[in-house]
Every structure is written in C-alpha cells, then in structure tokens.
C-alpha cells in the first residue's frame, strides 16, 4: 500500500489537537515533501526518520514521498512527530498493516539509531487523547511514568522503533518491565522542609497559616536574614495536599515546560516556584515565539509563587501578575496562536523594609534617609499591593528565641488545622461558585456572608474615618472569615475582624 | 586514472544503449541520442506514440553511493527541463506534448543488466 494514515496529537497550550499524518509514496524521482506548517524541529525530522528507518533495518522508499500533516492550518512543532511519521512510512511501504495501527496514538522522537527518546508534554497530550475517545498509545519508555498516570489510556512504552514494530505486528512487548508501574516513585518526592526549622516568628507564622487557610496573597517585610525566605518555602508544607485531579493538572503544566523530572509526577505537594527578581515578564507569565511555554505563574498553579526582593523587580514584571491574580488564567497571544494556561497561585512576596534592610521597629543601624525608605516599598505598585491581603513584618528573632530549645509547631500540626479550617469553609460555601475565603464576591460579603454586628460596626467606623477603602473593607472581611475558621467560629467576631484588620492594614510603612 | 575515466564513460554508454533497446521493445522510437549543447546533454530523445520523451539515464554498478535516481538532484532536474525546451525549439517541435523520464540501470560488469524506467518524473 502506498497510502497510509497514522494519528497523533499536538499541543496548543494544554489542549491536544488530533493530527492525521498521511503518507503517500508516488512514482518519480526520490524526494521528500513535508506539508502542514511544520516548524524547524519538525522539518529536521526527515533526516532523523530516514536514518532511524535505515539503521533499524528497513528500506527507505526511493520514490516521491509526500507526508501531510492535517489539519493543514494548525502550526505543528516539536520532535514528537518522528515516531508517527516513521510508522506511517512503514505502513505505506507495507512493513506494517494499517489495521494494526488502528486508533493508536503515537508519540516520540527518534534517534539516528532508531531509539525512541523523551518528548515534552506527554501527560497533557494523553489526557486530551482520552477526552477525545482514544484508548491506546505508544510512547517512549522515558515517558513511561507519565503514561502510567493516565489510567484510562492503555499506554505501551517502547525504547526503539523496532520494538514498536514488533509490538504492532506480533502484539509482543518490546520492553519487558514496561507495564510495571513504580507508583511509589511518582509519589515519593515530598518536601524535606518543615516549619519546625523556623525560630520564633510567631506573628509571621500566624499570618502564613491564615494565608494558607483562605489562599490570601501575602507580603513579608523584614530585614535580611530573619527568615522571610525560610517561611515562604515552608508554606507548601502547610497547604492541604493536592487532589489526584489537581496533581495531574499541575504535572501536565510541568510536563509541557519539560521540568516534570524535578517533581514526582503525582506529587501532592503544592509546587513552589521562586523566579529570580531579574526575571522578565515573558518568563513570568509565559511566552516564546514557536512554542508558547508556560511561565512561572502557570508552573506555580495550585501552589506558591514566591518573589523574593520584590521591590528589586523590573517595573512591569510584578504588574504583569495582576491579570492572572484576578482571573486565575493567563492568555498569551503570539504569531503562532493564542494559548491559555491556568495560573491559580498563591502569591508570596518578600521585601526588605528599605534599601539597606535595617529599618525595623527599632530602626537601629539603618542608614537610609526617610525619603529612601518611603520610596523603596513604593516600587510595589498600588494596584498590585491592593491585591495582597496580608502584609506582615518579619522581625529578627530575639536572643531568648534563638537560645530556646522549645521548637514551634511542626508543619504537620499547622497543616491539620489548615485542612480543618478549609473543610469548614468548603461546607459553608456548598452550592456557591467559590470555595475559598479569598474568593468571596463583594456582593455576598455584604449579604449572606457578613461578620457579627459589632464587627461590622467596627469596620464601618474605620470606613467613616477614611482609614479603610471600600476595597480594603471587603479584603478585611474575607480575611476575617479565615481568622474565624482558624478560631473555629461560625461567624467572624469583632475580635476576628480586628485581627484581620491588623493583618491587612497594620503596616504603616506602606501607607 | 585515465583508464578508470574511460571505463566510466563506457559504462554510461553501455547503460544508454541498454535503455534505448529496452524502450524500443516497449514500442518507443529513438529519434535522438546524446544531444549536446553548451548547457548540457540529453541522453535519449524518443517518440512515444506522438509524445516526445526525454530520458535521463543513470548507470551504476552498485548502490554503494546511493540509488541511481538519487543522482538526479533538483539542480539537474531543472537543467533537464531547460534542455528539453531547447531541444524542442531547435528541432521545430514547439507545442508538442512532451515528458521527461528517468531510467536507472544496474550493470555488474559480467553482462547482467537491470533497468528501471520511471515515467514523467518531473
């Protein structure tokens, strides 16, 4: 047969689109034409496929070979088309029959020796494939872990082109150990960090806990070396573990970025991403000309995005976070198309109080002028700061705290409280469109979900005296719900509300 | 060196001869051979029931350096196209139907000969 058709998927964002690979071998002089908007990596597939076929012992058809990737309008990129093109050629030359390949998805890059190599984005590709009704796939053995995660898909992993052909023609398995899941390996990489390591910092710990309960964005301000970064790094350990579904979603994004290896594929620990403060806006929100890659905000999906030394960030970089903070998504438009990645993260910012970093409560040893101090934190723009619910000081631990051998609470203890508080809030919001305190819509805050009367009176007083803006009013109320959940109150009391007020408005350095 | 060169030339001539006999068996009439101008050479020009056929012949003793058809590069094909038009202009055949064929010949030097003829390759 001189005509064949093989199917694979290509990713646009996290969405997989089915691509039909048709091969026609026609009479004429030897030539190879690849149709359907291939990018450079894909155009190069011609030489990889040719060498792989010849070195695996198959003959290259010395005729006019036309490979068409349809739909023709969709730009195709990457090396994961190597294997499907090779299989389509083998079907066209009669080595493999078309029936044997029926409804199997092929993915993989070929080495010149015919070996099958790791490709990016296998997990989201397979997830989309199952949604579109496919049940079988052939993937490189280096991607086996990802294949095993998709339980509704029967994934065969192979290490070479010839073992794929052996599987197709005889149904026998190329790799002996392939189907055995080493599931422990997928779960194992849990954090070795613990809140126990942090000395003192009672109020900052408390702020972190409230932040974790309601997913409130948080800003730590404090002198260098007091533990801002330490605390931030440990917030993932007090967040509730990710559900299976969420863990898959997070792993899918990491798979597209090609960094899944650094994280257990099914790790339930929320991701912690800390871009350097010199990072660019495209690296933060995602970008790239051919393949639009997820940025830091998407890698931190369902986890923590930690920006250390936030005032040192280039102007615009932090402000590019405003849109994803609002919508939980990033939409990136490039010449190759528009891509949407999820970006539902908890933002943690850390900053020094002034350029020299020593302007703390006692202000001892600070060399900065009052203007410098005022300007420094003003580099965080108003609209961004407005979205940060909790602002807290991280003071240097005292001598007594350093000497003490009584440790603070461990992550496990705090996490249990956070989970309990989240459970009670989820119960409260049953049937609502949100489940976290930080997401209560303003209308509901004034209707169904108000605080106690005395608490509301307190807030209205602050509003009257213009110490609180309308937006601040809502923010404090949302925080008050988290404080109430932590205290086990069914409705925020006046005390809860006052604590919430302090957490948000208590830092005069920002006014 | 000189001997090697002449033997290569001989091989090419033998291949062309074999192809012309093969094509005549198939009912084509050879009307010109080794037509040469400044721009290059056409190995065979035949008449296939009214259509003019230009044939490029490639002869090999083995596939060690690739299949004979591989030797017809895009550059060579472009030249063939131009030569064909030049031939038609100079032989007052403008407007007549024509096509360009390729023939691959494998000769092992002991008399065995295999021919593959591909029609309308351009």
């Amino acid at each position: 047969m001189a005509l064949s058709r093989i199917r694979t998927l290509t990713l646009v964002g996290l969405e997989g689109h089915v691509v039909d690979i048709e091969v026609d071998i026609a009479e004429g002089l030897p030539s190879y034409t690849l149709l359907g908007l291939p990018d450079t990596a894909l155009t190069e597939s011609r030489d990889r496929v040719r060498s792989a076929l010849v070195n695996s012992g198959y003959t290259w058809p010395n005729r006019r070979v036309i490979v068409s990737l349809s739909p023709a309008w969709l730009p195709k990129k990457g090396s994961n088309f190597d294997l499907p093109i090779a299989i389509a050629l083998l079907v066209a030359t009669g080595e493999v029959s078309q029936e044997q390949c029926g409804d199997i998805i092929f993915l993989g890059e070929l080495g010149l020796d015919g070996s099958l190599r790791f490709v990016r984005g296998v997990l989201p590709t397979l997830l989309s494939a199952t949604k579109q009704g496919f049940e079988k796939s052939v993937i490189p053995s280096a991607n086996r872990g990802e294949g095993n995660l998709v339980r509704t898909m029967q994934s065969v992993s192979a290490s070479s082109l010839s073992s794929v052909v052996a599987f197709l023609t005889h149904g026998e398995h190329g790799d002996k150990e392939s189907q055995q899941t080493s599931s422990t390996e997928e779960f194992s990489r849990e954090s070795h960090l613990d809140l126990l390591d942090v000395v003192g910092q009672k109020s900052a710990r408390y702020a972190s806990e409230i932040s974790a309960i309601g997913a409130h964005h948080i800003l730590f301000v404090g002198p260098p070396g007091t533990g801002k970064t330490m605390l931030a790094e440990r917030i993932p350990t007090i967040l509730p573990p990710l559900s299976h579904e969420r863990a898959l979603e997070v792993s899918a994004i990491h798979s597209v970025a090609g960094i899944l290896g650094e994280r257990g594929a099914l790790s339930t620990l929320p991701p912690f991403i800390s871009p350097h403060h010199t990072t660019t806006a495209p690296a933060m929100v995602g970008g790239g000309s051919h393949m639009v890659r997820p940025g830091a905000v998407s890698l931190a999906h369902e986890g923590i995005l930690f920006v250390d030394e936030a005032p040192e960030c280039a102007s615009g970089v932090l402000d590019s976070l405003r849109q994803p903070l609002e919508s939980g998504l990033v939409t990136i438009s490039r010449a190759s198309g528009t891509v949407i990645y999820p970006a539902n993260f908890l933002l943690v910012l850390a900053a020094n109080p002034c350029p020299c970093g020593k302007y703390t409560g006692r202000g001892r040893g600070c060399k900065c002028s009052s203007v410098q101090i005022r300007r420094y934190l003003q580099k965080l723009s108003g609209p961004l700061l407005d979205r940060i619910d909790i602002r807290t000081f991280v003071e240097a631990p005292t001598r007594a705290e350093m000497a003490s051998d009584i440790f603070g609470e461990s992550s496990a203890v705090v996490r249990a409280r956070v989970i309990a508080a989240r459970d009670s809030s989820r119960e409260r919001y049953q049937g609502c469109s949100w489940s976290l305190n930080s997401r209560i819509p303003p209308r509901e805050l004034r209707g169904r979900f108000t605080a106690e009367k005395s608490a509301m009176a307190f807030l209205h007083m602050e509003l009257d005296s213009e110490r609180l803006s309308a937006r601040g009013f809502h923010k404090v109320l949302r925080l008050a719900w988290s404080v109430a959940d932590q205290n086990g109150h069914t409705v925020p009391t006046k005390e809860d509300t006052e604590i919430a007020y302090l957490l948000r408005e208590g830092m005069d350095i920002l006014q | 060196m000189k001997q090697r060169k002449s033997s290569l030339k001989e091989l090419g001539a033998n291949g062309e001869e074999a192809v012309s006999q093969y094509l005549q068996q198939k009912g084509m009439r050879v009307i010109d051979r080794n037509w040469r101008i400044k721009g290059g050479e056409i190995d065979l020009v035949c008449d296939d029931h009214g259509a003019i056929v230009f044939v490029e012949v490639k002869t090999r003793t083995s596939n060690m350096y690739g299949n004979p058809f591989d030797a017809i590069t895009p550059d060579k094909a472009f030249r063939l196209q131009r030569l064909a038009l030049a031939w038609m202009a100079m032989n007052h055949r403008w407007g007549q139907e024509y096509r360009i064929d390729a023939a691959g010949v494998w000769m092992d030097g002991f008399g065995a000969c295999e021919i593959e003829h591909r029609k309308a390759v351009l």
Side-chain angles (χ1 to χ4, degrees):
Chain A
M1 185 154 79
L3 242 178
S4 66
R5 197 189 69 172
I6 290 293
R7 311 189 103 174
T8 185
L9 276 87
T10 190
L11 284 177
V12 176
L14 292 176
E15 199 70 34
H17 292 258
V18 177
V19 173
D20 279 340
I21 296 179
E22 291 164 304
V23 167
D24 179 25
I25 300 184
E27 282 299 313
L29 294 179
S31 70
Y32 181 95
T33 317
L34 184 58
L35 306 171
L37 297 184
D39 75 344
T40 318
L42 188 44
T43 313
E44 287 167 349
S45 75
R46 165 223 171 115
D47 298 320
R48 282 196 299 272
V49 169
R50 181 176 179 150
S51 293
L53 279 178
V54 172
N55 291 330
S56 300
Y58 306 106
T59 48
W60 177 261
N62 267 309
R63 290 172 188 277
R64 193 200 303 249
V65 176
I66 299 168
V67 179
S68 165
L69 314 173
S70 71
W73 53 267
L74 184 74
K76 329 248 177 346
K77 36 206 163 231
S79 52
N80 54 342
F81 290 93
D82 289 4
L83 177 64
I85 290 176
I87 297 293
L89 277 164
L90 288 174
V91 173
T93 53
E95 296 279 353
V96 180
S97 82
Q98 181 76 62
E99 291 74 43
Q100 286 162 336
C101 304
D103 285 332
I104 302 180
I105 293 289
F106 292 89
L107 288 173
E109 175 179 327
L110 287 171
L112 298 188
D113 56 352
S115 62
L116 212 48
R117 300 201 172 146
F118 176 85
V119 286
R120 283 179 179 186
V122 166
L123 180 57
T125 307
L126 293 183
L127 285 173
S128 314
T130 53
K131 271 184 217 151
Q132 298 179 39
F134 291 96
E135 285 164 356
K136 281 189 194 166
S137 69
V138 175
I139 56 174
S141 44
N143 291 95
R144 189 193 317 144
E146 291 173 70
N148 286 335
L149 294 181
V150 188
R151 288 168 195 154
T152 45
M153 170 77 74
Q154 188 196 332
S155 295
V156 174
S157 54
S159 56
S160 68
L161 180 60
S162 42
S163 65
V164 175
V165 174
F167 165 73
L168 291 173
T169 50
H170 306 112
E172 75 186 34
H173 227 288
D175 298 356
K176 299 286 173 283
E177 18 76 81
S178 56
Q179 286 300 322
Q180 301 316 318
T181 328
S182 45
S183 49
T184 47
E185 157 198 334
E186 314 298 345
F187 289 98
S188 62
R189 309 231 182 91
E190 293 303 344
S191 180
H192 56 276
L193 301 172
D194 199 291
L195 217 50
L196 273 176
D197 310 333
V198 181
V199 176
Q201 306 302 359
K202 237 179 139 198
S203 63
R205 275 164 174 270
Y206 179 73
S208 310
E209 186 177 336
I210 297 297
S211 156
I213 287 173
H216 302 284
H217 306 303
I218 183 168
L219 164 69
F220 291 117
V221 177
T226 49
K228 302 186 293 285
T229 309
M230 250 182 126
L231 264 170
E233 279 172 351
R234 283 158 181 78
I235 294 181
T237 65
I238 61 169
L239 283 170
L242 300 174
S243 64
H244 178 75
E245 220 169 86
R246 290 274 170 265
L248 273 185
E249 209 174 302
V250 171
S251 295
I253 300 170
H254 285 238
S255 167
V256 171
I259 57 167
L260 191 56
E262 296 167 22
R263 203 182 136 73
L266 254 193
S267 173
T268 55
L269 186 76
F272 179 84
I273 303 293
S274 59
H276 190 251
H277 62 257
T278 54
T279 194
T280 58
M284 193 64 108
V285 295
S289 49
H290 287 296
M291 155 123 190
V292 180
R293 293 181 56 186
V297 294
S298 301
L299 296 178
H301 180 57
E302 298 295 331
I304 308 286
L305 180 70
F306 174 55
V307 185
D308 206 354
E309 308 296 353
E312 306 287 352
C313 275
S315 68
V317 172
L318 280 181
D319 284 301
S320 65
L321 297 177
R322 275 153 56 184
Q323 187 246 339
L325 276 175
E326 211 56 41
S327 60
L329 297 169
V330 265
T331 310
I332 308 154
S333 292
R334 289 291 185 272
S336 58
T338 298
V339 167
I340 298 176
Y341 284 118
N344 194 8
F345 56 91
L346 176 61
L347 179 63
V348 180
L349 299 178
N352 287 331
C354 66
C356 83
K358 291 186 181 155
Y359 183 75
T360 56
R362 279 162 291 174
R364 207 179 287 159
C366 177
K367 295 183 196 69
C368 307
S369 69
S370 61
V371 179
Q372 276 182 308
I373 294 169
R374 219 172 326 129
R375 287 230 179 106
Y376 191 63
L377 284 178
Q378 272 174 5
K379 286 185 194 160
L380 304 175
S381 75
L384 177 73
L385 219 48
D386 217 29
R387 288 169 172 82
I388 312 287
D389 297 357
I390 305 178
R391 303 86 181 264
T392 185
F393 257 121
V394 182
E395 301 274 4
T398 62
R399 205 172 97 178
E401 283 170 338
M402 289 301 280
S404 165
D405 55 359
I406 304 164
F407 295 110
E409 289 168 310
S410 72
S411 290
V413 174
V414 180
R415 184 170 56 220
R417 273 207 305 272
V418 170
I419 292 173
R422 278 212 181 181
D423 283 345
S424 59
S425 68
R426 195 174 310 116
E427 218 166 279
R428 184 166 62 240
Y429 303 134
Q430 237 166 27
C432 301
S433 58
W434 69 94
S435 65
L436 290 166
N437 291 331
S438 57
R439 307 280 193 279
I440 313 173
R443 184 166 37 84
E444 302 284 358
L445 280 173
R446 278 174 279 122
R448 265 197 294 171
F449 297 109
T450 53
E452 264 181 7
K453 224 172 190 168
S454 56
M456 293 308 277
F458 163 72
L459 286 181
H460 285 136
M461 274 262 291
E462 295 296 310
L463 207 56
D464 275 345
S465 56
E466 292 182 359
R467 281 194 290 265
L468 195 62
S469 68
R471 197 205 295 257
F473 174 84
H474 292 124
K475 291 273 182 189
V476 171
L477 259 179
R478 291 190 186 111
L479 262 180
W481 275 105
S482 294
V483 176
D485 283 335
Q486 203 252 4
N487 285 334
H489 298 155
T490 49
V491 166
T493 61
K494 181 162 184 246
E495 202 183 23
D496 294 336
T497 313
E498 280 169 353
I499 294 173
Y501 181 76
L502 272 178
L503 280 173
R504 177 166 162 98
E505 308 284 336
M507 195 180 288
D508 53 358
I509 201 172
L510 288 174
Q511 305 306 316
Chain B
M1 190 66 203
K2 194 157 193 191
Q3 201 190 349
R4 172 97 181 112
K5 206 166 188 179
S6 74
S7 78
L8 270 182
K9 231 177 209 169
E10 223 167 83
L11 177 72
N14 289 344
E16 280 163 27
E17 179 54 35
V19 170
S20 79
Q21 280 174 18
Y22 172 85
L23 293 180
Q24 279 168 12
Q25 269 174 33
K26 298 272 167 186
M28 286 158 70
R29 193 163 53 83
V30 176
I31 46 183
D32 206 346
R33 285 179 80 153
N34 299 108
W35 183 78
R36 187 184 278 274
I37 55 169
K38 209 172 140 199
E41 184 184 16
I42 298 179
D43 295 336
L44 284 173
V45 184
C46 307
D47 184 314
D48 185 6
H49 307 290
I52 303 172
V53 182
F54 301 93
V55 187
E56 173 67 19
V57 181
K58 283 285 168 195
T59 312
R60 290 285 183 272
T61 51
S62 75
N63 274 342
M64 191 103 93
Y65 298 102
N67 171 296
F69 295 104
D70 279 332
I72 305 176
T73 58
D75 186 46
K76 177 95 178 169
F78 178 70
R79 212 143 21 113
L80 273 177
Q81 190 74 257
R82 232 176 26 188
L83 282 168
L85 295 178
W87 187 92
M88 297 215 293
M90 290 170 76
N91 291 279
H92 310 290
R93 302 283 194 120
W94 260 131
Q96 214 169 318
E97 187 191 335
Y98 79 101
R99 66 166 202 259
I100 296 171
D101 289 5
V105 185
W106 288 265
M107 287 182 144
D108 65 356
F110 299 102
C113 171
E114 196 185 317
I115 296 174
E116 186 181 344
H117 175 215
R118 293 190 187 175
K119 289 184 178 175
V121 293
L122 292 180

Short mmCIF file of all heavy atoms in Angstrom, two decimals, chain A residues 13-42:
data_model
loop_
_atom_site.label_atom_id
_atom_site.label_comp_id
_atom_site.label_asym_id
_atom_site.label_seq_id
_atom_site.Cartn_x
_atom_site.Cartn_y
_atom_site.Cartn_z
N GLY A 13 -1.11 25.02 23.99
CA GLY A 13 -1.29 25.19 25.42
C GLY A 13 -1.34 23.82 26.07
O GLY A 13 -0.44 23.01 25.89
N LEU A 14 -2.42 23.54 26.79
CA LEU A 14 -2.55 22.21 27.40
C LEU A 14 -3.56 21.37 26.63
O LEU A 14 -3.89 20.26 27.02
CB LEU A 14 -3.01 22.34 28.85
CG LEU A 14 -1.99 22.96 29.80
CD1 LEU A 14 -2.58 23.13 31.18
CD2 LEU A 14 -0.75 22.09 29.87
N GLU A 15 -4.04 21.94 25.54
CA GLU A 15 -5.11 21.31 24.77
C GLU A 15 -4.48 20.50 23.64
O GLU A 15 -3.67 21.03 22.88
CB GLU A 15 -5.98 22.44 24.20
CG GLU A 15 -7.35 22.03 23.77
CD GLU A 15 -8.24 21.69 24.95
OE1 GLU A 15 -8.09 22.33 26.02
OE2 GLU A 15 -9.05 20.79 24.79
N GLY A 16 -4.84 19.23 23.51
CA GLY A 16 -4.29 18.41 22.44
C GLY A 16 -5.21 18.42 21.23
O GLY A 16 -6.42 18.27 21.37
N HIS A 17 -4.64 18.62 20.06
CA HIS A 17 -5.42 18.56 18.82
C HIS A 17 -4.99 17.34 18.03
O HIS A 17 -3.80 17.12 17.85
CB HIS A 17 -5.21 19.82 17.97
CG HIS A 17 -5.77 21.05 18.59
ND1 HIS A 17 -6.95 21.61 18.19
CD2 HIS A 17 -5.32 21.82 19.61
CE1 HIS A 17 -7.22 22.68 18.94
NE2 HIS A 17 -6.23 22.82 19.80
N VAL A 18 -5.95 16.57 17.54
CA VAL A 18 -5.62 15.38 16.76
C VAL A 18 -5.01 15.80 15.43
O VAL A 18 -5.52 16.69 14.76
CB VAL A 18 -6.87 14.52 16.51
CG1 VAL A 18 -6.53 13.32 15.64
CG2 VAL A 18 -7.47 14.08 17.82
N VAL A 19 -3.90 15.17 15.08
CA VAL A 19 -3.25 15.44 13.80
C VAL A 19 -3.18 14.13 13.03
O VAL A 19 -2.71 13.12 13.54
CB VAL A 19 -1.84 16.01 14.00
CG1 VAL A 19 -1.12 16.13 12.66
CG2 VAL A 19 -1.89 17.36 14.68
N ASP A 20 -3.70 14.14 11.81
CA ASP A 20 -3.60 12.97 10.94
C ASP A 20 -2.32 13.08 10.14
O ASP A 20 -2.07 14.12 9.52
CB ASP A 20 -4.78 12.95 9.96
CG ASP A 20 -6.02 12.39 10.61
OD1 ASP A 20 -5.86 11.68 11.64
OD2 ASP A 20 -7.12 12.64 10.11
N ILE A 21 -1.53 12.02 10.16
CA ILE A 21 -0.32 12.01 9.35
C ILE A 21 -0.55 11.07 8.19
O ILE A 21 -0.73 9.87 8.38
CB ILE A 21 0.89 11.56 10.19
CG1 ILE A 21 1.11 12.58 11.29
CG2 ILE A 21 2.12 11.41 9.32
CD1 ILE A 21 2.22 12.26 12.21
N GLU A 22 -0.60 11.65 7.00
CA GLU A 22 -0.82 10.82 5.81
C GLU A 22 0.47 10.75 5.02
O GLU A 22 1.17 11.76 4.88
CB GLU A 22 -1.91 11.44 4.95
CG GLU A 22 -3.26 11.36 5.59
CD GLU A 22 -4.25 12.30 4.93
OE1 GLU A 22 -3.97 13.50 4.84
OE2 GLU A 22 -5.29 11.81 4.50
N VAL A 23 0.78 9.56 4.56
CA VAL A 23 1.98 9.39 3.74
C VAL A 23 1.55 8.81 2.40
O VAL A 23 0.77 7.85 2.36
CB VAL A 23 3.00 8.48 4.43
CG1 VAL A 23 4.08 8.06 3.45
CG2 VAL A 23 3.63 9.18 5.62
N ASP A 24 2.04 9.42 1.35
CA ASP A 24 1.80 8.89 0.01
C ASP A 24 3.15 8.65 -0.63
O ASP A 24 4.01 9.53 -0.62
CB ASP A 24 0.98 9.92 -0.80
CG ASP A 24 0.73 9.42 -2.22
OD1 ASP A 24 0.74 8.19 -2.43
OD2 ASP A 24 0.52 10.28 -3.10
N ILE A 25 3.35 7.44 -1.14
CA ILE A 25 4.58 7.16 -1.86
C ILE A 25 4.23 7.05 -3.32
O ILE A 25 3.53 6.12 -3.73
CB ILE A 25 5.25 5.87 -1.34
CG1 ILE A 25 5.58 6.05 0.15
CG2 ILE A 25 6.53 5.60 -2.13
CD1 ILE A 25 6.31 4.91 0.74
N ALA A 26 4.69 8.04 -4.11
CA ALA A 26 4.30 8.10 -5.52
C ALA A 26 5.50 7.76 -6.40
O ALA A 26 6.64 7.83 -5.97
CB ALA A 26 3.78 9.49 -5.84
N GLU A 27 5.20 7.44 -7.66
CA GLU A 27 6.26 7.23 -8.64
C GLU A 27 7.03 8.53 -8.83
O GLU A 27 6.51 9.61 -8.58
CB GLU A 27 5.64 6.84 -9.98
CG GLU A 27 5.20 5.39 -10.04
CD GLU A 27 6.36 4.44 -9.86
OE1 GLU A 27 7.39 4.64 -10.51
OE2 GLU A 27 6.23 3.52 -9.04
N GLY A 28 8.26 8.42 -9.28
CA GLY A 28 9.01 9.63 -9.57
C GLY A 28 10.38 9.60 -8.94
O GLY A 28 10.80 8.59 -8.38
N LEU A 29 11.06 10.71 -9.06
CA LEU A 29 12.41 10.79 -8.51
C LEU A 29 12.33 10.83 -6.98
O LEU A 29 11.35 11.30 -6.43
CB LEU A 29 13.10 12.05 -9.02
CG LEU A 29 13.37 12.04 -10.51
CD1 LEU A 29 14.03 13.34 -10.91
CD2 LEU A 29 14.26 10.87 -10.88
N PRO A 30 13.40 10.37 -6.31
CA PRO A 30 13.37 10.38 -4.85
C PRO A 30 13.23 11.81 -4.34
O PRO A 30 14.02 12.68 -4.72
CB PRO A 30 14.73 9.80 -4.46
CG PRO A 30 15.22 9.09 -5.66
CD PRO A 30 14.64 9.79 -6.84
N SER A 31 12.23 12.03 -3.52
CA SER A 31 12.10 13.33 -2.89
C SER A 31 11.26 13.16 -1.64
O SER A 31 10.62 12.13 -1.45
CB SER A 31 11.44 14.33 -3.84
OG SER A 31 10.08 14.00 -4.01
N TYR A 32 11.28 14.16 -0.78
CA TYR A 32 10.54 14.09 0.47
C TYR A 32 9.91 15.44 0.70
O TYR A 32 10.60 16.45 0.79
CB TYR A 32 11.51 13.74 1.61
CG TYR A 32 10.88 13.61 2.97
CD1 TYR A 32 10.48 12.36 3.45
CD2 TYR A 32 10.69 14.71 3.79
CE1 TYR A 32 9.92 12.23 4.71
CE2 TYR A 32 10.13 14.59 5.04
CZ TYR A 32 9.74 13.35 5.50
OH TYR A 32 9.19 13.21 6.75
N THR A 33 8.61 15.46 0.74
CA THR A 33 7.90 16.72 0.96
C THR A 33 7.09 16.61 2.23
O THR A 33 6.36 15.64 2.42
CB THR A 33 6.96 17.02 -0.22
OG1 THR A 33 7.65 16.73 -1.43
CG2 THR A 33 6.53 18.46 -0.22
N LEU A 34 7.25 17.60 3.11
CA LEU A 34 6.51 17.62 4.38
C LEU A 34 5.55 18.80 4.34
O LEU A 34 5.97 19.94 4.23
CB LEU A 34 7.50 17.74 5.54
CG LEU A 34 6.94 17.67 6.95
CD1 LEU A 34 6.20 16.36 7.18
CD2 LEU A 34 8.06 17.81 7.96
N LEU A 35 4.24 18.50 4.40
CA LEU A 35 3.24 19.55 4.29
C LEU A 35 2.55 19.77 5.63
O LEU A 35 2.48 18.87 6.46
CB LEU A 35 2.18 19.15 3.26
CG LEU A 35 2.69 18.75 1.88
CD1 LEU A 35 1.55 18.17 1.06
CD2 LEU A 35 3.29 19.96 1.20
N GLY A 36 2.03 20.95 5.84
CA GLY A 36 1.21 21.20 7.02
C GLY A 36 1.88 22.02 8.09
O GLY A 36 1.88 21.65 9.25
N LEU A 37 2.50 23.15 7.71
CA LEU A 37 3.08 24.12 8.64
C LEU A 37 4.00 23.50 9.69
O LEU A 37 3.78 23.65 10.89
CB LEU A 37 1.97 24.91 9.35
CG LEU A 37 1.07 25.78 8.49
CD1 LEU A 37 0.09 26.55 9.36
CD2 LEU A 37 1.88 26.72 7.64
N PRO A 38 5.05 22.79 9.27
CA PRO A 38 5.99 22.26 10.26
C PRO A 38 6.95 23.34 10.72
O PRO A 38 7.23 24.27 9.97
CB PRO A 38 6.74 21.18 9.48
CG PRO A 38 6.69 21.63 8.06
CD PRO A 38 5.42 22.43 7.90
N ASP A 39 7.46 23.25 11.95
CA ASP A 39 8.48 24.19 12.40
C ASP A 39 9.86 23.57 12.12
O ASP A 39 9.96 22.52 11.50
CB ASP A 39 8.31 24.54 13.88
CG ASP A 39 8.76 23.41 14.79
OD1 ASP A 39 8.91 22.29 14.29
OD2 ASP A 39 8.96 23.67 15.98
N THR A 40 10.92 24.22 12.57
CA THR A 40 12.26 23.75 12.22
C THR A 40 12.52 22.34 12.74
O THR A 40 13.03 21.48 12.01
CB THR A 40 13.31 24.71 12.79
OG1 THR A 40 12.85 26.03 12.59
CG2 THR A 40 14.62 24.53 12.12
N ALA A 41 12.18 22.11 14.01
CA ALA A 41 12.45 20.80 14.59
C ALA A 41 11.73 19.70 13.81
O ALA A 41 12.24 18.59 13.65
CB ALA A 41 12.01 20.77 16.05
N LEU A 42 10.55 20.05 13.31
CA LEU A 42 9.75 19.06 12.59
C LEU A 42 10.31 18.84 11.18
O LEU A 42 10.32 17.72 10.68
CB LEU A 42 8.30 19.53 12.56
CG LEU A 42 7.24 18.58 12.04
CD1 LEU A 42 7.44 17.19 12.59
CD2 LEU A 42 5.88 19.09 12.44
#
